[in-house]
């Protein structure tokens, strides 16, 4: 009886969201941040069949939004509903649209002074996307592009998980011009589901210095080991 009541209460809470939920062809987030920690973000949403009069896009990035705009006669702003952040997009002339591109400038997205961990100069980034609005997102992606001087050293965790048996990896590592990036991918992301990426990165010159240091230690070890192996007559 208690389980039935709990299910009934949850259903009542989710019903307005499910009733108004839309199926989205694709949602792509493209974030690029600089050495000061400020970022530029593009969010692109496309519909397959239906037209939007207005749309609420889940917004999961940290930092302070300093500028937000869209194109093709669309208006975009950041709003909060029941403690959840969204990008609200509508058309100036009250018309309908099938695609929107929202551009944001975000200050203090990443704090280099606080995020460094004691692991050979690595920094750590975690990002979680939660689908709090759409009935389904056919194709989802988020690309996080690092500043020029930095390189990705490891991906510690992801949802979906990367497994040996999986036919394709849930994330992609690459380079765009002079900037390295990690891109998380998701298919058929249903309402309430989330995707997650956790990775480490550090300055390229630190990687080089660390490699040189390890190289020097290795050479020193070989020299010492060679001397220890010499016959006593040669000493």
């Amino acid at each position: 009886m208690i389980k039935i009541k709990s299910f009934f209460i949850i259903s009542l809470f989710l019903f307005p969201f499910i009733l108004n939920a839309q199926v989205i062809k694709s949602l792509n987030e493209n974030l690029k941040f600089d050495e000061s920690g400020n970022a530029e973000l593009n969010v692109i949403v496309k519909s397959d069949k239906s037209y939007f009069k207005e749309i609420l896009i889940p917004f999961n990035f940290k930092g302070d939004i300093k500028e937000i705009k869209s194109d093709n006669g669309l208006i975009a702003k950041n709003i909060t509903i029941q403690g959840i952040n969204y990008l609200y997009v509508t058309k100036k002339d009250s018309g309908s649209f099938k695609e929107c591109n929202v551009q944001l400038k975000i200050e203090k997205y990443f704090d280099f002074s606080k995020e460094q961990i004691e692991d050979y100069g690595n920094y750590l980034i975690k990002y979680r996307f939660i689908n709090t609005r759409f009935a389904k997102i056919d194709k989802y992606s988020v690309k996080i592009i690092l500043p020029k001087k930095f390189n990705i050293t490891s991906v510690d965790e992801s949802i979906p998980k990367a497994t040996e048996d999986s036919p394709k990896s849930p994330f992609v590592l690459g380079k765009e011009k002079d900037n390295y990036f990690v891109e998380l991918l998701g298919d058929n992301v249903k309402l309430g589901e989330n995707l997650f990426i956790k990775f480490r990165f550090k300055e390229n010159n630190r990687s080089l210095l660390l490699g040189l240091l390890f190289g020097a230690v290795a050479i020193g070890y070989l020299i010492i080991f060679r001397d220890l192996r010499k016959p006593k007559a040669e000493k």
Side-chain angles (χ1 to χ4, degrees), residues 149-160:
K149 293 182 180 180
F150 295 85
N151 190 9
I152 296 162
T153 54
S154 68
V155 176
D156 297 345
E157 187 180 350
S158 70
I159 299 174

Side-chain angles (χ1 to χ4, degrees), residues 53 74 79 93-95 100 126 130 175 181 191 202 224:
K53 285 286 186 181
L74 299 176
I79 65 171
D93 59 5
S94 301
C100 64
K126 301 176 187 177
I130 306 173
K175 191 174 185 182
F181 69 82
L191 181 67
K202 65 180 173 182
I224 294 170

Side-chain angles (χ1 to χ4, degrees), residues 5 10 16 27 42-43 73-74 99 107 109-110 117-119 145 163-164 171 176 191 204 212 216 225 231:
K5 285 184 178 179
I10 293 169
L27 194 165
N42 275 16
V43 180
L74 299 176
E99 180 179 338
E107 285 188 1
Y109 162 72
F110 190 82
I117 56 179
E118 295 181 2
D119 179 22
I145 306 171
T163 62
E164 292 182 1
F171 59 84
E176 193 172 89
L191 181 67
N204 291 326
L212 292 173
F225 185 73

Side-chain angles (χ1 to χ4, degrees), residues 26-156:
S26 63
L27 194 165
N28 307 108
E29 299 174 314
N30 192 321
L31 181 133
K32 183 178 182 179
F33 67 102
D34 57 29
E35 293 178 48
S36 65
N38 298 328
E40 293 183 353
L41 172 66
N42 275 16
V43 180
I44 301 172
V45 177
K46 295 180 181 180
S47 172
D48 191 11
K49 297 177 181 178
S50 60
Y51 282 83
F52 308 124
K53 285 286 186 181
E54 57 184 16
I55 189 171
L56 286 168
I57 308 168
F59 183 76
N60 299 278
F61 290 93
K62 59 184 180 180
D64 303 324
I65 298 175
K66 293 302 177 183
E67 183 180 313
I68 179 169
K69 62 182 181 180
S70 190
D71 48 21
N72 298 323
L74 299 176
I75 304 170
K77 60 182 179 179
N78 179 229
I79 65 171
T80 301
I81 300 175
Q82 296 179 342
I84 302 173
N85 291 321
Y86 295 96
L87 300 176
Y88 174 72
V89 184
T90 187
K91 201 156 188 178
K92 293 178 182 178
D93 59 5
S94 301
S96 57
F97 54 97
K98 290 188 71 173
E99 180 179 338
C100 64
N101 183 349
V102 183
Q103 302 104 43
L104 303 96
K105 290 185 178 179
I106 303 172
E107 285 188 1
K108 301 176 183 177
Y109 162 72
F110 190 82
D111 190 339
F112 281 90
S113 64
K114 292 181 179 179
E115 298 293 345
Q116 187 172 10
I117 56 179
E118 295 181 2
D119 179 22
Y120 305 111
N122 275 293
Y123 296 91
L124 185 67
I125 281 185
K126 301 176 187 177
Y127 177 68
R128 187 183 302 276
F129 172 83
I130 306 173
N131 180 13
T132 54
R133 190 65 191 178
F134 303 120
K136 188 179 72 168
I137 303 168
D138 289 340
K139 296 287 182 182
Y140 169 83
S141 71
V142 57
K143 181 187 285 187
I144 300 175
I145 306 171
L146 303 180
K148 286 185 180 179
K149 293 182 180 180
F150 295 85
N151 190 9
I152 296 162
T153 54
S154 68
V155 176
D156 297 345

